[in-house]
Amino acid sequence: GLSNAHEATIMLAAKAVSSGNTDTCKKRQKNSERFDEYVSTFKVWEQKFFSGKSQPLKELKSDVDSRRLDILRGCFEGARNEKVVAALKIVYMDYKALRLAGDLIFKLMSKIVK
């Protein structure tokens, strides 16, 4: 079953999406879906690069600096923490500056793993 934190995340995000006028709701829904894609993608990447017996980061580009790898690891850690996901999702939906920063981080991390 779902944990209480996960259920709370779903409830809070749904409430945030549906508050305000129609245009605001549509934007929040779009942002909510994009955020969910990011979280899902980080989980897939973590499975691919940090799971089982495989050597961590073996398949990643060799020219990636350690700072970016630390950021990537932080993204993996955050995607596993339901409370962090819940909080970030709400601010991602509502605050353009944080949404732009989140989009930039995702693009930078995409370059590392592809």
Side-chain angles (χ1 to χ4, degrees):
L2 296 175
S3 71
N4 289 339
H6 190 72
E7 289 173 7
T9 301
I10 293 168
M11 183 185 72
L12 288 171
K15 191 171 187 175
V17 166
S18 63
S19 63
N21 65 39
T22 303
D23 288 340
T24 301
C25 292
K26 286 179 184 177
K27 287 177 186 174
R28 283 191 184 130
Q29 182 63 44
K30 183 182 90 175
N31 295 335
S32 173
E33 289 168 2
R34 183 182 316 138
F35 184 86
D36 290 343
E37 279 182 39
Y38 288 170
V39 171
S40 296
T41 301
F42 282 125
K43 289 178 180 180
V44 168
W45 289 342
E46 183 176 30
Q47 284 291 317
K48 182 175 180 180
F49 297 113
F50 287 95
S51 65
K53 298 177 183 177
S54 66
Q55 192 174 8
L57 305 172
K58 184 178 180 184
E59 299 175 44
L60 293 177
K61 293 179 180 178
S62 59
D63 62 343
V64 175
D65 64 55
S66 64
R67 185 168 176 228
R68 288 197 181 178
L69 291 178
D70 288 342
I71 295 169
L72 183 61
R73 286 185 188 99
C75 292
F76 294 158
E77 190 71 31
R80 277 189 263 116
N81 185 318
E82 293 176 348
K83 290 179 181 177
V84 169
V85 170
L88 288 176
K89 183 173 188 172
I90 291 168
V91 294
Y92 182 87
M93 288 190 300
D94 281 336
Y95 297 101
K96 186 173 185 170
L98 293 174
R99 193 165 45 254
L100 291 172
D103 294 346
L104 178 62
I105 290 168
F106 187 80
K107 286 176 187 172
L108 289 171
M109 297 304 99
S110 295
K111 289 179 182 179
I112 292 175
V113 298
K114 293 185 178 179

